[in-house]
Amino acid sequence: MSLHKARIKAFEDILNEDVINMEQLQKLAFNGVPDEKGLRSFVWKILLHYIPQERSAWESTLLKKRQLYQQFIDEIIVSPGGPTDHPLNLSPDSSWSNYFKDNEVLLQIDKDVRRLCPDISFFQSATEFPCPEIVNSNGVKRLHKRVEQSVLKYSTLERRGLGVAKLSNEIRRNEGVNSGDYTPLNEGCEAHWEVVERMLFLYAKLNPGQGYVQGMNEIIGPIYHTFASDSNKEFRKHAEADCFFCFTNLMAEIRDFFIRTLDETESGINYMMSKLSECLKKNDRAVWEQLQRQELRPQYYSFRWLTLLLSQEFSLPDVERIWDSLFADPQRFNSLIYICCAMILLVRDNILSGDFASNVKLLQNFPPMDVSLILNKAVEISTA
Amino acid sequence: MAKKTYDLLFKLLLIGDSGVGKTCILFRFSDNHFTTTFISTIGIDFKIKTVELRGKKIKLQIWDTAGQERFHTITTSYYRGAMGIMLVYDITNEKTFDDIVKWLRNIDEHANEDVEKMILGNKCDMEEKRVISKERGEAIAHEHGIRFMETSAKLNINIDRAFSELAEAILDKSAGREADADHARIAVERRPSRAPPARACCS
Ligand SMILES: Nc1nc2c(ncn2[C@@H]2O[C@H](COP(=O)(O)OP(=O)(O)OP(=O)(O)O)[C@@H](O)[C@H]2O)c(=O)[nH]1
Ligand SMILES: [Mg+2]
């Protein structure tokens, strides 16, 4: 048996138990999950605590969650009833006012999902499993349709008190927003980016304290890609619902990175950046001192590294490999620090000889590199 | 000390709402290229370009910031060192224009007092979608005594001009100072040469 086949078998053995041994699975997955047989897709669902460890509970859990997701779609997107009061009702909780507020969020999501992973064609291509209530609605239920209309804005209404007649004129004028290759597909079809847009909108609606923050698209993207490319058709079919809940679980762990008021807390992003800086200081004093001398602060590069779990620094397959390790780490964010630190150590010679500008450039555009090199280095640091 | 390849170093900052085209403007300026597929900026990005002005080689260190609210704590920490700030809005989007006032307030709070400012109305190639007239852009700039230009990163309209005008304004102000690696940290003490504040406009 080849090494690779042996690895697959090792995963299958663990997954075939009545109760999955989480520790064993984490250990194995830390060194990478094979892409074959939908293994990665399945293992991530367990590591993100979506699929329970007890095999007997799998079916009912999935059924329940997927029904719940359908319910979200129905209540929030398909038949929310639409605004009922007069558009010029300016009280802050008038239904129009909420409708316009939602559209502002949607506008931002729309801009971002249309820029998702432009180097691969996946997100622009059609999903096999579009949401029927939405794609067969003559466009009216499509979220990006709402966005095209919302270009005429709340503020226009509020400030000038335009009449409703004028309003519909504006709607017509703003149709056909030009969006490169991320064009919406025809009636009955739906592109993957539209699916991502829906999940993010639902997430923002269901988590009003947090809403949508740019970068969430970069977190949900790799998860959805993994689930929607599952070799098992049944799982592919439910990729959207499954991804939504896995994303929600992951966000529960990292959402503080996305909340400005928590920047200074122990779960916030500033704390993470200072931990990285400490880790670097401990492991390579010379590099740390060089960066200090140049006043090259961790915010210049590691804010993005940490907030997005490195998803913008590497190609998608590499991101997925890194996330195997992140998700498998019971102390997930320690390993994130180690990985980031390893990245810096691997370009230490360049940093030591570079000036401020070339070093910022280097760290903001991390050079393509075999990720196993980085991950091995990270393990080395963690056990040092 | 390494040999200097420039005479002066200017730190510039690009700010404005998400999606107005800051990253595209910078990319057009530094790489003379336009692409529609930029991912939104998370935190802060950085580019360098050397230009020649009045016989002096000037190295522009340009920081491109993220527009969304969440990133403001991160991005406002860069205001302090900036010698020039470009405030960008999108002529096809009313909200980005309304927010200029908010961005100006940010500058007042966080930047050096005499930082050179410029307002850019970007995407001026999209005449059919325009909602902010050039006159409105000029008016708000005039009101605050700031330079103004309409630009298009897509069609390369006024991009180089905007950067060289801003650089020139900084040059005027800092004339006589020598290149110095730490130059950017020297606080400029002179009073700002602001145009007299026009009376607040009552629409
Ligand atoms: N037509 C036109 N489109 C432009 C122009 N400049 C930018 N765009 C488009 O506007 C969108 C946003 O551009 P970005 O440069 O990413 O915007 P940004 O201001 O950097 O946004 P954040 O990074 O989110 O703060 C892109 O889809 C661009 O294609 C322009 O001059 N003309
Ligand atoms: Mg940008």
Side-chain angles (χ1 to χ4, degrees), chain B residues 38-183:
Chain B
F38 273 118
I39 32 193
S40 55
T41 308
I42 304 295
I44 187 139
D45 272 325
F46 172 81
K47 288 246 190 244
I48 284 214
K49 180 159 171 165
T50 306
V51 295
E52 224 176 288
L53 275 183
R54 301 196 203 127
K56 281 202 160 70
K57 274 213 170 76
I58 300 181
K59 188 162 172 175
L60 300 179
Q61 206 181 74
I62 312 167
W63 297 89
D64 171 23
T65 62
Q68 210 188 355
E69 182 78 19
R70 189 267 169 267
F71 304 109
H72 288 185
T73 15
I74 293 291
T75 54
T76 48
S77 63
Y78 299 82
Y79 285 38
R80 184 60 61 197
M83 303 155 85
I85 296 183
M86 280 185 175
L87 203 178
V88 188
Y89 70 89
D90 171 355
I91 66 149
T92 71
N93 183 326
E94 174 113 24
K95 174 148 193 309
T96 67
F97 182 75
D98 293 343
D99 283 345
I100 285 194
V101 185
K102 203 183 71 192
W103 289 107
L104 285 171
R105 214 178 308 127
N106 259 328
I107 297 177
D108 281 344
E109 270 169 40
H110 300 283
N112 291 338
E113 208 178 348
D114 72 336
V115 64
E116 281 297 329
K117 289 167 270 188
M118 180 177 259
I119 294 179
L120 300 181
N122 191 40
K123 308 197 188 178
C124 72
D125 54 279
M126 297 217 279
E127 209 43 68
E128 73 290 355
K129 299 234 175 72
R130 178 193 283 276
V131 292
I132 305 296
S133 69
K134 192 169 175 188
E135 289 69 35
R136 284 180 72 192
E138 282 166 348
I140 195 165
H142 185 253
E143 186 185 324
H144 293 91
I146 305 175
R147 259 162 279 267
F148 170 77
M149 237 177 252
E150 284 200 343
T151 56
S152 165
K154 187 172 181 179
L155 300 186
N156 197 8
I157 300 169
N158 278 342
I159 300 293
D160 284 351
R161 231 185 99 206
F163 282 98
S164 30
E165 266 201 28
L166 187 63
E168 218 156 328
I170 300 170
L171 187 61
D172 282 342
K173 205 175 264 182
S174 64
R177 264 187 275 164
E178 290 299 331
D180 181 319
D182 290 333
H183 174 104

Side-chain angles (χ1 to χ4, degrees), chain A residues 122-179:
Chain A
F122 171 80
F123 287 98
Q124 297 152 47
S125 64
T127 165
E128 287 167 273
F129 305 102
C131 178
E133 299 90 328
I134 290 171
V135 296
N136 298 311
S137 64
N138 274 323
V140 297
K141 300 290 177 198
R142 295 211 192 216
L143 291 174
H144 55 78
K145 270 281 185 238
R146 256 175 83 171
V147 172
E148 286 164 20
Q149 299 173 0
S150 81
V151 178
L152 111 158
K153 276 157 309 77
Y154 188 34
S155 57
T156 325
L157 264 174
E158 192 174 45
R159 299 228 168 79
R160 310 234 175 70
L162 290 183
V164 183
K166 179 88 181 280
L167 194 143
S168 52
N169 274 338
E170 295 245 351
I171 292 176
R172 224 164 295 132
R173 208 158 52 82
N174 282 311
E175 252 161 7
V177 169
N178 170 24
S179 46

